[in-house]
Amino acid sequence: MKASFRQSMTWLHTWTGLVVGWVLFFVFVTGTASYATQEITRWMQPERPMQSLLVPDAATQFDMAYQQLRSLPQSQQAQSWTVNLASDARNSSALSASWTAAPEPGERRGPTETLYMDTSSGQPIELAEPVRETAGGRALLRMHYALHYIPADTAILIVGLCTMLMLVAIVTGVVAHKKIIKDFFTYRQQKGLRSWLDAHNLISVSALPFYLMITYSGLLFFLYSYMPLAVPLTYGFEPENRDAYYSELMTQTGSGRVLGLGGGGGGPRQAQTEQGGRSGREGRSVRPLPLGQQAEQFTDLSALVAQTEELWGKGQIRSVTITPAARGQAAQLQITPAYADTIRRSRGAGTLSFNAQTAQAIAASPADVAAAEVFGSSMLGLHEGLFADSWLRWLYLVSGLLGCAMIATGLVLWTVKRRPKLAKTGEYEAGHQLVEKLNVATIAGLSFGLAAYFWANRLIPADLAGRQQWEIHSLFLAWGALALYSFSRPVFIAWRDSLSLAAAAFLLLPLLNALTTERHLGQTLWQQDWALASVDLVFILLGLMLGWAAVKVQRKLGQTKHNTATRNRTATVASAEVL
Amino acid sequence: MDLLLLFAILTSAYVAMAALGLSMDKHFEQVFGTEPKAFYQRLLQSAGWLYLLLTLWFCIQGWQLAIGFVVWFGTLTLMQGSFALLLTYQQRLTSVLLWAAVPLATLSAVLLWTSGFKSD
């Protein structure tokens, strides 16, 4: 038992932080990258067209794509047509027409094909090469909660356990921080342990609301995995008991989906398959006309698009989706806004629906949801930040990076604090060594692995089958190789070399990009494709930060060498005098 | 997004963080070399809180209530960190920027107010 409450909390903070720090660093790094999922994927598919410089009004753009959808033979049998309009909004760099085929038996979604359009000529863009398959930003997104190489269910439990301990570490950290107000802006440089502590405190305090939110809300995503007995103990252990609970929950919350079932946040699996089965049965009995034929009966859709743009303002429409009449439902035209105006995680919020034949507006079902549902979906929404515009997205990225830095400084702090004591007593125990080495292997190693992920994207042949998997393997291979290296070298040398290597890998990425693609900074900045350019610029920034850290280590290494050298010299002089 | 609005929240968030920071004895002495007079301390504190609220008001006008709060927290995080770094590495700049940011933030507040927060 510790002497005071604060000391107990400090102890708890130190040890929970250490135990889960390495996993959390991985989760935070990949999670932070996930705030740029779409931008990363776009960078990893350099064949896709650049930002359209000319952005005509919504109806004109819609017409260009709609004509293609109506005339192309491949799109006639599709289950839905989607037109993504070019605008300043996120992931709306180019006008495109895409069509989704009916799902194969056993699949949830059919394959989608996309045609990019030139907004000036209204003709499809002939891509020089087909768009490469890539693991993209989505793989990083998935890794931050489901890890990789181990079953997702286990991984989710591991990450969940670490997240719970993270929440403990945050709360105890606030208690342990003696001068949280007085040191709100304090960083004292070049004071050894003091500086590390200041840095850790400052970084931890600066985005504290974000850390609390992200950790707490992170736990809500897999609510039922972490509390597997909560529902069965009340409702019973049979699958139908669970479904009874789900339907009761959905009636009471007034929501169409159940929160806490995982990343996708869809309705309960049972309900979905049931729906799928029903549509399949009815689909066989009364086969609806293909979308291409139904379109002959459609009203003037572009008038509806124009009318909506009038209502919302220019550049405010993200996409237009057309679904055929089926299962007694009329064919629909759905218009989705480019920007969200709610923090809630609610897919299709703000979407306007029209009957595609009569042009009549289809009223959305009244959104009368319970407070618990509003709270839950707001937390999940805050976690994902899908509502964030470009400025807020940068802020999310900064906060995420600060989170990575908080964990990294905390891990290093643990070793810095114990180093002098150990050096004095002479016992440099194995546990301490292990922590030092794991720190290098995780912090510098993962940074290098991440850079390798992007290198692999450019170096693996664009038409290689299964190249997505190899991109991910490259991340872990590079990480593993650097980890092995850092385990075999003295700690400071390992830090210097790994950090330098990671810095070089990031700094050279824009160059590699320029050598292998037409989407380098010279092009993207010239064409004002800021989203694509910013990916390269962030690589440079990360490289500079890692390089700065490497220089710091090198200086420290020089100092220690110098000190030892002087000490040795004085020792020699002293012994010579004695002799 | 409106550049004027972005400029407004950046300057006013800086004023908030710098004024609150400099109202602390330790940091005031670090920058000006003397202990702060009680009056100055009061003034800096009030200015800090005032511009903190002004920043929130900008955020809510620009992004609605819920998203506005998220933008507010994020911007303050950024500015708290920036001010702390300046305080360590460029102490003199903290006060220079503060004097520059006060009129700029106020001016952009007036401009936004008169234009009714319309971007066009």
Side-chain angles (χ1 to χ4, degrees):
Chain A
M1 200 56 216
K2 298 284 164 183
S4 74
F5 177 63
R6 175 166 284 152
Q7 274 173 317
S8 318
M9 290 298 110
T10 311
W11 180 88
L12 192 56
H13 178 77
T14 306
W15 292 98
T16 47
L18 180 74
V19 169
V20 298
W22 298 294
V23 176
L24 286 177
F25 187 77
F26 177 81
V27 172
F28 258 75
V29 167
T30 47
T32 302
S34 305
Y35 285 123
T37 302
Q38 295 167 8
E39 288 76 9
I40 289 175
T41 304
R42 225 187 119 213
W43 189 91
M44 293 176 91
Q45 293 184 323
E47 295 83 7
R48 279 163 66 177
M50 294 239 257
Q51 177 84 43
S52 306
L53 286 175
L54 180 77
V55 179
D57 61 60
T60 315
Q61 288 195 53
F62 172 76
D63 266 341
M64 293 173 179
Y66 187 54
Q67 298 206 337
Q68 293 297 325
L69 287 169
R70 285 208 55 181
S71 57
L72 283 175
Q74 312 88 292
S75 60
Q76 298 311 305
Q77 304 292 327
Q79 252 202 349
S80 67
W81 288 344
T82 300
V83 176
N84 280 302
L85 302 181
S87 74
D88 290 338
R90 188 183 188 216
N91 212 22
S92 302
S93 51
L95 170 65
S96 70
S98 43
W99 56 97
T100 304
E104 299 287 317
E107 298 275 328
R108 274 179 58 182
R109 216 173 291 168
T112 300
E113 280 179 81
T114 300
L115 196 65
Y116 292 100
M117 311 275 305
D118 185 340
T119 44
S120 50
S121 67
Q123 291 306 309
I125 297 175
E126 296 281 339
L127 296 180
E129 276 156 284
V131 176
R132 66 182 69 186
E133 299 281 339
T134 181
R138 285 214 71 87
L140 298 175
L141 175 70
R142 190 170 186 283
M143 268 183 232
H144 101 278
Y145 61 84
L147 307 178
H148 202 70
Y149 296 126
I150 55 172
D153 291 345
T154 323
I156 284 164
L157 289 181
I158 294 173
V159 173
L161 193 70
C162 292
T163 312
M164 288 173 216
L165 290 177
M166 166 123 192
L167 200 54
V168 171
I170 291 176
V171 175
T172 52
V174 171
V175 177
H177 191 358
K178 261 178 268 179
K179 302 184 197 159
I180 199 161
I181 300 291
K182 256 190 137 180
D183 280 354
F184 199 77
F185 298 106
T186 307
Y187 174 64
R188 282 154 285 193
Q189 55 166 338
Q190 295 183 332
K191 291 222 169 84
L193 177 62
R194 180 77 257 168
S195 300
W196 279 106
L197 196 59
D198 275 349
H200 182 62
N201 286 345
L202 192 65
I203 293 169
S204 305
V205 169
S206 89
L208 185 62
F210 172 80
Y211 307 142
L212 277 171
M213 176 280 287
I214 211 76
T215 314
Y216 177 80
S217 59
L219 289 172
L220 295 185
F221 276 86
F222 296 98
L223 197 62
Y224 298 106
S225 309
Y226 303 146
M227 298 188 284
L229 288 178
V231 176
L233 282 179
T234 322
Y235 285 80
F237 284 81
E238 299 303 317
E240 57 263 30
N241 299 136
R242 207 179 44 215
D243 292 335
Y245 162 74
Y246 289 147
S247 62
E248 201 173 308
L249 186 72
M250 285 195 284
T251 337
Q252 283 188 13
T253 55
S255 160
R257 26 182 95 238
V258 174
L259 299 177
L261 284 175
R269 226 164 272 168
Q270 182 62 31
Q272 269 168 3
T273 44
E274 201 177 277
Q275 213 174 36
R278 195 167 51 228
S279 76
R281 239 174 291 138
E282 282 186 23
R284 264 191 295 278
S285 56
V286 208
R287 201 178 188 89
L289 283 173
L291 189 47
Q293 277 180 42
Q294 289 194 20
E296 285 162 20
Q297 312 284 325
F298 286 168
T299 171
D300 181 8
L301 297 183
S302 53
L304 289 174
V305 173
Q307 180 192 324
T308 309
E309 192 178 41
E310 184 99 342
L311 188 70
W312 288 350
K314 188 162 167 35
Q316 299 292 317
I317 297 179
R318 172 177 300 283
S319 63
V320 182
T321 303
I322 302 158
T323 47
R327 284 177 260 146
Q329 272 199 331
Q332 280 192 20
L333 176 83
Q334 289 169 338
I335 305 179
T336 310
Y339 301 94
D341 60 353
T342 169
I343 56 166
R344 288 186 54 207
R345 181 197 222 240
S346 42
R347 209 163 292 163
T351 297
L352 288 185
S353 302
F354 298 94
N355 182 319
Q357 283 189 9
T358 62
Q360 243 171 1
I362 300 170
S365 51
D368 193 18
V369 286
E373 171 70 21
V374 173
F375 175 78
S377 55
S378 297
M379 287 317 284
L380 298 191
L382 279 174
H383 188 103
E384 294 183 317
L386 289 176
F387 54 82
D389 59 9
S390 52
W391 171 242
L392 187 51
R393 192 155 294 284
W394 283 111
L395 293 176
Y396 259 114
L397 277 168
V398 167
S399 304
L401 277 176
L402 284 169
C404 305
M406 169 177 72
I407 297 166
T409 51
L411 284 169
V412 172
L413 185 57
W414 190 94
T415 63
V416 173
K417 194 166 180 183
R418 279 153 189 79
R419 217 176 275 147
K421 225 186 277 172
L422 290 169
K424 212 180 279 170
T425 54
E427 35 174 340
Y428 212 52
E429 51 184 86
H432 189 273
Q433 287 274 25
L434 182 69
V435 173
E436 295 253 29
K437 292 187 174 213
L438 274 173
N439 281 354
V440 192
T442 313
I443 298 168
L446 174 59
S447 309
F448 181 63
L450 199 59
Y453 183 61
F454 298 113
W455 276 79
N457 174 264
R458 290 298 191 255
L459 294 181
I460 295 173
D463 51 359
L464 184 81
R467 66 188 302 289
Q468 302 100 302
Q469 284 311 314
W470 280 107
E471 286 174 355
I472 300 175
H473 293 326
S474 307
L475 191 163
F476 288 99
L477 282 174
W479 183 6
L482 202 61
L484 277 182
Y485 173 78
S486 35
F487 264 81
S488 65
R489 301 285 289 163
V491 171
F492 276 94
I493 297 191
W495 269 119
R496 182 197 58 193
D497 293 352
S498 319
L499 285 171
S500 313
L501 203 58
F506 271 113
L507 284 174
L508 290 176
L509 263 172
L511 191 69
L512 173 74
N513 188 18
L515 290 175
T516 51
T517 75
E518 294 294 312
R519 297 285 178 268
H520 49 85
L521 278 176
Q523 286 281 332
T524 48
L525 287 177
W526 177 251
Q527 291 229 18
Q528 302 176 20
D529 194 335
W530 307 126
L532 206 49
S534 61
V535 179
D536 270 332
L537 292 174
V538 168
F539 287 156
I540 295 178
L541 203 67
L542 289 174
L544 289 176
M545 290 195 311
L546 289 162
W548 173 79
V551 168
K552 285 268 175 190
V553 176
Q554 173 60 35
R555 282 214 193 116
K556 176 111 185 144
L557 210 58
Q559 267 172 20
T560 350
K561 254 192 205 141
H562 183 73
N563 287 351
T564 350
T566 358
R567 211 181 306 134
N568 285 348
R569 201 163 40 238
T570 21
T572 334
V573 173
S575 49
E577 274 171 9
V578 168
L579 283 173
Chain B
M1 194 200 17
D2 193 351
L3 277 181
L4 178 62
L5 182 63
L6 186 61
F7 183 74
I9 63 167
L10 281 177
T11 47
S12 64
Y14 180 78
V15 172
M17 287 294 130
L20 284 176
L22 290 177
S23 77
M24 297 160 120
D25 291 344
K26 175 164 78 174
H27 299 313
F28 191 93
E29 221 184 307
Q30 222 178 323
V31 174
F32 299 106
T34 54
E35 292 255 313
K37 287 192 187 125
F39 169 71
Y40 286 129
Q41 206 160 18
R42 270 293 119 100
L43 188 70
L44 282 167
Q45 250 166 18
S46 334
W49 285 105
L50 182 72
Y51 279 83
L52 206 57
L53 289 177
L54 185 70
T55 316
L56 178 61
W57 180 68
F58 286 146
C59 292
I60 292 177
Q61 289 298 323
W63 282 269
Q64 309 291 322
L65 191 68
I67 301 181
F69 264 96
V70 185
V71 177
W72 188 57
F73 274 119
T75 310
L76 291 181
T77 293
L78 190 70
M79 278 305 154
Q80 183 251 13
S82 312
F83 175 71
L85 282 181
L86 281 178
L87 202 54
T88 308
Y89 295 102
Q90 291 290 328
Q91 282 154 12
R92 288 200 49 80
L93 210 54
T94 52
S95 59
V96 175
L97 280 180
L98 178 58
W99 302 139
V102 170
L104 289 175
T106 317
L107 182 69
S108 32
V110 174
L111 284 177
L112 285 170
W113 173 260
T114 47
S115 71
F117 282 93
K118 289 284 169 334
S119 46
D120 297 321

